[in-house]
């Protein structure tokens, strides 16, 4: 079940599912506006005639009964309705109660931590798998680190440095989520504190994800320039995978940075991020920025075809070094829709390790999802070992 198909990324996810669901897979569109859902179905049917009979289900984030019916009617729910901190919890709650698997593309740490505190235990009891951040946040990073760690000794301390390069565009929904997250620093910190005592670290292993500062890129990466620390949700998800899986070794550390060739550009990027953070605290300015790019709008096909991403990981441990890379096309939308849809199909159809509750992509799906994404055109490569 795809909830939110009338949005920008939701529409791209519907396009991908229409072309790639396996024969015999029953899927449907869900949302609060049946007329708009029918328009999406008509658009899909124009190129994939079999979609003409795609079921439509009414569901509204403000109507818990409709979400309970949605969760009871399917094995896996895909949610693209953000900002998740405002609209996402009722569907997570419904899936956790019903034992229905759930995936989304959130990059909001506050939302992920709140959902763990409020619904992880219920999902463990029901058997539901709640897998957040199944888009560019944070699939390439979570699975890329898993690939890297798998090439290093398991009994020695491991350090992995992630170097992100990308050309991308932004949609109205992404902009709204980012500005809202910037404005809720206090709530984000409180959510992290509330989670901490409920999600203890292992006593016999150490996991760290230091932010670090501006520095030269890792000399073993094969790249040149400066590493600008990225305070995104990605290191947190990598850290939680490392906490859950002993394969990450007795002492694991991960750093996450954007690569910029020239120092003035790196400094300008840091200054720009600081200015945007300050502006996001001002309600009228934040709302004005959001009106400049309304929800449901995003880059067109021509622009998306020009976009790309590459994340190179340098892993060291036990006297060995391995360099891996995950790369693909348009990170924010085309590839995110692919990752989100394949995550749902992986949960629905693949043989996976038994898990439940809030879990990461590496823990829930790991190599099975990696194999799906490689078949779908993403590259997971071992550059050197």
């Amino acid at each position: 079940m795809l909830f939110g198909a009338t949005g920008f990324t939701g529409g791209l996810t519907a396009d991908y599912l229409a072309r790639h669901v396996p024969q015999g897979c029953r899927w449907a569109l869900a949302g609060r506006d049946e007329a708009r859902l029918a328009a999406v179905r008509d658009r899909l049917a124009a190129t994939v005639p079999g979609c003409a009979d795609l079921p439509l289900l009414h569901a509204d984030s403000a109507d818990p009964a409709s979400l309970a019916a949605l969760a009871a009617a399917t094995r896996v729910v895909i949610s693209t309705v953000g900002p998740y901190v405002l609209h996402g919890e009722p569907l997570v709650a419904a899936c956790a109660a019903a034992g229905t698997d759930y995936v989304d593309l959130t990059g909001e740490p506050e939302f992920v931590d709140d959902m763990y505190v409020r619904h992880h235990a219920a999902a463990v009891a029901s058997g539901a798998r709640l897998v957040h951040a199944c888009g560019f946040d944070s699939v390439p990073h979570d699975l890329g680190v898993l690939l890297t760690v798998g090439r290093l000794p398991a009994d020695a301390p491991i350090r992995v440095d992630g170097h992100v390069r990308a050309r991308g565009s932004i949609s109205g929904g992404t902009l709204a989520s980012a500005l809202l997250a910037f404005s809720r620093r206090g709530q984000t910190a409180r959510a992290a504190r509330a989670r901490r005592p409920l999600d203890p670290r292992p006593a016999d292993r150490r996991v760290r994800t230091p932010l670090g500062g501006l520095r030269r890129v890792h000399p073993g990466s094969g790249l040149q320039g400066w590493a600008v620390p990225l305070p995104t949700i990605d290191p947190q998800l990598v850290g939680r995978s490392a906490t859950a899986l002993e394969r990450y070794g007795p002492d694991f550390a991960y750093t996450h940075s954007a690569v910029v060739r020239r120092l003035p550009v790196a400094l300008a990027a840091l200054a720009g991020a600081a200015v945007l953070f300050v502006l996001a605290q001002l309600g009228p300015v934040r709302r004005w920025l959001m009106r400049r790019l309304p929800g449901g709008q995003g880059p067109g096909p021509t622009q998306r075809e020009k976009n790309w991403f590459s994340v190179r990981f340098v892993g060291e441990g036990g006297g060995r070094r391995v360099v891996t890379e995950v790369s693909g096309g348009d990170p924010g939308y085309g590839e995110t829709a692919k990752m989100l849809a394949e995550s749902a199909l992986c949960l629905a159809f693949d043989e996976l390790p038994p898990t439940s509750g809030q879990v990461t992509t590496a823990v829930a799906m790991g190599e099975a999802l990696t194999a799906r994404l490689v078949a779908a055109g993403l590259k997971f490569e071992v550059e050197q070992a």
Side-chain angles (χ1 to χ4, degrees), residues 282-306:
L282 308 174
V285 177
R286 184 173 66 252
R287 289 188 288 273
W288 178 83
L289 289 170
M290 292 168 64
R291 286 195 297 270
R292 303 289 293 178
L293 188 58
Q297 296 185 13
T302 301
Q303 180 61 54
R304 294 199 304 272
E305 288 176 2
K306 299 176 182 176

Side-chain angles (χ1 to χ4, degrees), residues 1-15 27-44 54 56-61 78-82 171 173 294-298:
M1 192 80 70
L2 173 59
F3 181 55
T6 58
F8 184 73
T9 308
L12 295 176
T13 306
D15 292 341
W27 68 290
L29 307 177
R32 63 184 180 183
D33 190 327
E34 188 168 349
R36 293 179 66 194
L37 287 175
V40 173
R41 180 174 62 185
D42 291 344
R43 178 175 60 79
L44 298 177
L54 202 62
L56 307 179
L57 183 68
H58 172 76
D60 189 335
S61 295
I78 304 171
S79 174
T80 62
V81 179
S171 72
Q297 296 185 13

Side-chain angles (χ1 to χ4, degrees), residues 1-2 25-30 55-59 65-78 91 94-95 97-101:
M1 192 80 70
L2 173 59
C25 173
R26 293 178 295 122
W27 68 290
L29 307 177
L56 307 179
L57 183 68
H58 172 76
S66 70
L67 298 180
L70 183 155
T74 186
R75 290 178 55 195
V76 184
V77 170
I78 304 171
L91 183 54
C95 290
T100 300
D101 292 335

Side-chain angles (χ1 to χ4, degrees), residues 181-368:
F182 282 161
S183 71
R184 296 175 62 90
R185 185 174 65 169
Q187 294 95 323
T188 299
R190 284 194 292 273
R193 287 196 299 270
R195 175 177 182 151
R196 202 166 294 127
L198 303 176
D199 187 19
R201 298 294 181 99
D204 57 344
R205 300 170 52 234
R206 186 165 70 152
V207 173
R208 295 166 291 141
T209 55
L211 181 61
L214 180 66
R215 58 195 181 278
R216 287 282 189 180
V217 299
H218 194 292
S221 66
L223 304 174
Q224 294 182 346
W226 296 84
V228 181
L230 280 177
T232 59
I233 196 173
D234 307 304
Q236 299 177 32
L237 272 294
V238 169
R240 285 169 188 148
S241 295
T243 297
L245 300 173
E246 292 189 4
R247 182 61 185 83
Y248 286 64
D251 188 348
F252 174 82
Y254 176 68
T255 65
H256 189 64
S257 306
V259 175
V260 178
R261 291 292 299 271
R262 297 174 58 242
L263 181 58
V265 175
L267 295 174
L270 290 172
V275 170
L276 187 60
F277 178 83
V278 172
L279 293 177
Q281 313 309 310
L282 308 174
V285 177
R286 184 173 66 252
R287 289 188 288 273
W288 178 83
L289 289 170
M290 292 168 64
R291 286 195 297 270
R292 303 289 293 178
L293 188 58
Q297 296 185 13
T302 301
Q303 180 61 54
R304 294 199 304 272
E305 288 176 2
K306 299 176 182 176
N307 295 339
W308 57 273
F309 79 89
S310 167
V311 191
R312 190 167 295 185
F313 304 92
V314 182
E316 297 175 312
R320 297 183 60 193
R321 173 185 291 171
V322 61
V323 180
T324 65
E325 186 172 36
V326 181
S327 60
D330 176 45
Y333 305 101
E335 300 291 45
T336 279
K338 179 187 297 181
M339 295 176 210
L340 184 63
E342 290 291 354
S343 295
L345 293 171
C346 187
L347 289 174
F349 292 105
D350 293 352
E351 291 291 334
L352 300 172
T355 56
S356 61
Q358 189 186 103
V359 285
T360 66
T361 54
V363 173
M365 293 172 273
E367 293 180 358

